[in-house]
Amino acid sequence: LGKGVIVAATAVLVGADAGATMAFLLGRFLFRDLVATWAAKYRVIKAIDISLHEKGLQVMLLLRLSPVVPFNVFNFIAGSTSVPLRDYVIGTVVGIIPGTFAFVFIGALVGSAAFD
């Protein structure tokens, strides 16, 4: 289980982060102008946008650690805000490590139980 879990978790982390970053960039280029327009109109959206710009790493990390937030939708939504790309990527990579290792380990246990 040891080496296989590490290799599989690393592959999942690289793939998930690459896909999340691509979706973030799509959200940034497709929806950023819309959210900027809403931020100019609505104080609540402006406050959220400002807080994501200032505390993006902390917010991204906490939201990635939450199992309630849908992964794919969150990528596009984060891209449409003013969170810096650097904060988004670091928060995503660090935030999905626990869940990734848990799911890969469970998969390895089920696989080894089924085939041993």
Side-chain angles (χ1 to χ4, degrees), residues 20-21 23-25 27-29 32 35-36 45-64 74-92:
T21 303
F24 174 88
L25 292 172
R28 175 69 40 103
F29 291 113
R32 179 66 193 134
V35 171
I45 295 176
K46 183 176 183 173
I48 292 170
D49 201 41
I50 290 170
S51 66
L52 283 171
H53 183 73
E54 293 174 358
K55 300 284 185 183
L57 180 59
Q58 291 93 339
V59 173
M60 291 302 115
L61 183 60
L62 290 173
L63 288 173
R64 285 297 186 198
F74 179 70
N75 298 330
F76 289 104
I77 292 172
S80 67
T81 67
S82 63
V83 65
L85 178 62
R86 176 187 163 277
D87 291 349
Y88 173 79
V89 171
I90 293 171
T92 297

Side-chain angles (χ1 to χ4, degrees), residues 2 8 10 12-13 22 40 44-45 53 62 97:
T10 302
V12 169
L13 285 171
M22 297 280 244
V44 173
I45 295 176
H53 183 73
L62 290 173
I97 287 174

